[in-house]
């Protein structure tokens, strides 16, 4: 067995391990609000994640994979040495995975995007100095890390204020939920449709015009409005005996299932790329070189999605506790506002090719919802710990990736 075959096998295992740690940490972030508010049980959260993470990765995940795998590190300068590229990207996967595993064990909701980007930077700098990294691309990614929690917080803040003013404090909150259901369903399904078809469905290589995309989005939004209203009214008739506010929260739990699907889809479209991006780069180099883009095989997306769901179901409970219960007290209405804000931010970033952090976005949205109530609703000690873990992620994975590349170089 030659060196290339061995490295490819190790890459596949490392990619699956990375996907597992993403599921345990990042998907737990995404599903933590639903489980923490009581809208979904852990088993149902795993089912939702399994379906919609796969759909998001398969339909929309390609553009982000291109950013991490090809544009950040100058891989095309190593075409003559495929073993170095394969070993370097595999080291990135291992370094990021080890950090995520440690953080998950400690219950820290760290950023998987930070982890893999930090590792890639460490590899690029070690192998070719400062010229090994495309710093302009890195600057765009760093800017998105700052923007995503801020945008998530702003959207979460105003979304919950709108819900509180128009639903929770009115005379009949349950009926008010039914009134906003069509608009909620329309927005979610229209945005999902745009995310899937704008610029073409990746696996089908379609190129749709703006007018056709708009028509598809409107049609999907109308179908979502009808379906959401229909289901919610059936459920509401079963809860007529409950008090107004309690009935409203029960109905928001149903809506939160819809937004949980939205979050899982958005996460799959963005963060599965963190596992399969380096794998795709390795396979592309070994199979004959790499340019400015990477074609991501569907089987790699399947591996990534499978590992993500496995990680959530086996080890995700630790980080769910932090996101769902420790930052602030979540109810279905608050969880709905946070998930809607976070998923909107993540989906938009995915279509722009920006590997934003799901952790940053969902934490920002939860903080925004808490601030809409009062500053005292936030657990500032937990927030400080979360931010500190974010700061540690990039230097830790960068140094660890460089050390692993050096070890491989000595062996080879």
């Amino acid at each position: 067995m030659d060196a290339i075959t061995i490295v490819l096998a190790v890459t596949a295992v490392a990619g699956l391990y990375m996907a597992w740690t993403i599921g345990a940490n990042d998907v737990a972030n995404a599903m933590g609000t639903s489980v923490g508010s009581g809208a979904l049980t852990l088993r149902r959260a795993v089912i939702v994640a399994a379906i919609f993470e796969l759909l998001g990765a398969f339909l929309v995940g390609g553009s982000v994979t291109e950013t991490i795998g090809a544009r950040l590190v100058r891989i095309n300068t190593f075409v003559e040495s495929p073993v170095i590229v394969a070993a370097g990207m595999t080291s990135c996967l291992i370094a990021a995975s080890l950090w995520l595993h440690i953080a998950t064990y400690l219950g820290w909701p760290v950023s998987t995007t930070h982890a893999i980007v930090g590792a890639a930077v460490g590899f690029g700098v070690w192998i070719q100095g400062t010229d090994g990294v495309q710093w302009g691309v890195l600057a765009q990614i760093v800017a998105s890390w700052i923007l995503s929690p801020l945008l998530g917080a702003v959207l979460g803040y105003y979304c919950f204020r709108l819900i509180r003013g128009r639903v929770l404090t009115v005379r009949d909150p349950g009926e008010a939920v039914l009134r906003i259901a069509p608009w909620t369903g329309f927005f979610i399904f229209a945005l999902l449709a745009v995310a899937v078809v704008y610029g073409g469905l990746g696996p089908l290589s379609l190129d749709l015009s703006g007018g056709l995309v708009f028509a598809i989005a409107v049609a999907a939004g109308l179908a979502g409005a009808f379906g959401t209203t229909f289901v919610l009214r059936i459920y509401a008739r079963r809860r007529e005996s409950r008090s107004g506010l309690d009935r409203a929260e029960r109905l928001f739990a149903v809506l939160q299932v819809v937004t949980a699907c939205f979050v899982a889809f958005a996460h799959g479209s963005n963060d599965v790329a963190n596992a399969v991006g380096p794998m795709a780069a390795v396979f592309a180099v070994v199979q004959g070189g790499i340019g400015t883009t990477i074609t991501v095989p569907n089987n790699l997306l399947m591996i990534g999605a499978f590992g993500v769901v496995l990680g959530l179901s086996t080890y995700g409970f630790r980080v769910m506790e932090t996101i769902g219960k420790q930052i602030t007290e979540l109810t279905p209405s608050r969880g709905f506002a946070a998930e809607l804000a976070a998923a909107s931010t993540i989906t938009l970033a995915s279509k722009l090719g920006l590997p934003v952090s799901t952790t940053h976005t969902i934490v920002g949205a939860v903080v925004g919802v808490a601030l809409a109530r009062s500053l005292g609703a936030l657990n500032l000690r937990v927030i400080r710990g979360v931010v500190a873990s974010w700061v540690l992620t990039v230097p830790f994975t960068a140094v660890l990736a460089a050390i692993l590349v050096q070890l491989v170089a000595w062996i080879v």
Side-chain angles (χ1 to χ4, degrees):
M1 186 178 294
D2 59 18
I4 289 293
T5 303
I6 294 174
V7 171
L8 286 178
V10 174
T11 300
V13 174
L16 182 60
Y17 179 40
M18 178 67 178
W20 182 85
T21 56
I22 288 175
N25 200 289
D26 239 26
V27 181
N29 293 331
M31 294 290 104
T33 51
S34 296
V35 175
S37 70
L40 286 174
T41 63
L42 179 59
R43 178 178 298 180
R44 291 176 179 174
V46 170
I47 294 173
V48 167
I51 296 171
F52 288 91
E53 289 276 344
L54 177 59
L55 287 175
F58 186 72
L59 295 176
V60 196
S63 61
V64 176
T65 302
E66 175 189 335
T67 297
I68 294 178
R71 293 172 55 207
L72 179 58
V73 179
R74 299 183 189 277
I75 300 174
N76 55 345
T77 62
F78 307 126
V79 173
E80 300 299 325
S81 303
V83 174
I84 294 178
V85 178
M89 283 299 174
T90 302
S91 298
C92 290
L93 285 170
I94 295 173
S97 301
L98 288 174
W99 170 246
L100 289 173
H101 200 155
I102 294 169
T104 304
Y105 175 77
L106 297 172
W108 295 345
V110 299
S111 167
T112 58
T113 307
H114 273 194
I116 196 63
V117 168
V121 169
F123 164 54
V125 170
W126 181 90
I127 207 72
Q128 207 180 13
T130 56
D131 293 334
V133 176
Q134 302 194 56
W135 298 104
V137 175
L138 180 61
Q140 294 176 11
I141 295 173
V142 171
S144 73
W145 291 343
I146 299 171
L147 180 63
S148 57
L150 291 177
L151 185 56
V154 170
L155 290 178
Y157 177 86
Y158 283 106
C159 187
F160 183 68
R161 284 200 62 175
L162 183 65
I163 289 172
R164 185 174 60 184
R166 297 294 182 87
V167 177
L168 300 180
T169 58
V170 301
R171 191 171 196 176
D172 189 347
E175 190 61 33
V177 175
L178 297 177
R179 284 198 299 270
I180 70 168
W183 301 101
T184 301
F186 182 90
F187 174 78
I188 292 174
F189 282 87
L191 188 57
L192 274 176
V194 170
V196 171
V197 304
Y198 186 77
L201 286 167
L204 301 180
S205 300
L206 299 178
D207 188 12
L208 305 178
S209 66
L212 185 55
V213 170
F214 178 77
I216 292 173
V218 171
L222 291 174
F226 175 79
T228 303
T229 304
F230 179 76
V231 171
L232 212 59
R233 287 195 176 277
I234 291 177
Y235 190 81
R237 284 197 290 267
R238 300 176 183 175
R239 297 292 186 272
E240 287 182 350
S241 61
R242 295 181 179 271
S243 62
L245 192 56
D246 181 62
R247 183 166 174 250
E249 290 290 352
R250 295 284 180 172
L251 295 178
F252 268 118
V254 179
L255 286 177
Q256 199 179 356
V257 174
V258 179
T259 53
C261 298
F262 191 9
V263 168
F265 182 92
H267 182 270
S269 72
N270 196 280
D271 280 33
V272 170
N274 292 338
V276 301
M279 293 172 63
V282 170
F283 293 162
V285 170
V286 171
Q287 291 171 359
I290 187 171
T292 57
T293 61
I294 293 175
T295 300
V296 184
N298 292 333
N299 60 336
L300 291 188
L301 290 173
M302 291 287 289
I303 290 173
F306 171 77
V308 160
V309 174
L310 186 65
L312 171 66
S313 59
T314 58
Y315 210 53
F317 61 91
R318 291 181 179 272
V319 176
M320 278 191 194
E321 179 74 17
T322 301
I323 295 294
K325 296 183 178 180
Q326 294 185 11
I327 293 178
T328 190
E329 182 184 359
L330 287 178
T331 61
S333 59
R334 298 167 194 163
F336 167 77
E339 286 183 354
L340 186 60
S344 301
T345 304
I346 298 164
T347 302
L348 176 62
S350 181
K351 289 313 300 174
L352 294 176
L354 295 175
V356 300
S357 165
T358 301
T359 304
H360 281 199
T361 308
I362 194 69
V363 169
V366 171
V367 168
V369 168
L371 289 176
R373 297 164 58 208
S374 69
L375 181 62
L378 272 177
N379 188 331
L380 296 179
R381 180 185 60 81
V382 173
I383 293 295
R384 285 193 296 268
V386 169
V387 173
S389 68
W390 292 354
V391 173
L392 287 174
T393 299
V394 172
F396 184 94
T397 55
V399 172
L400 183 56
I403 292 173
L404 290 174
V405 175
Q406 180 64 68
L407 290 175
V408 173
W410 284 339
I411 296 172
V412 173

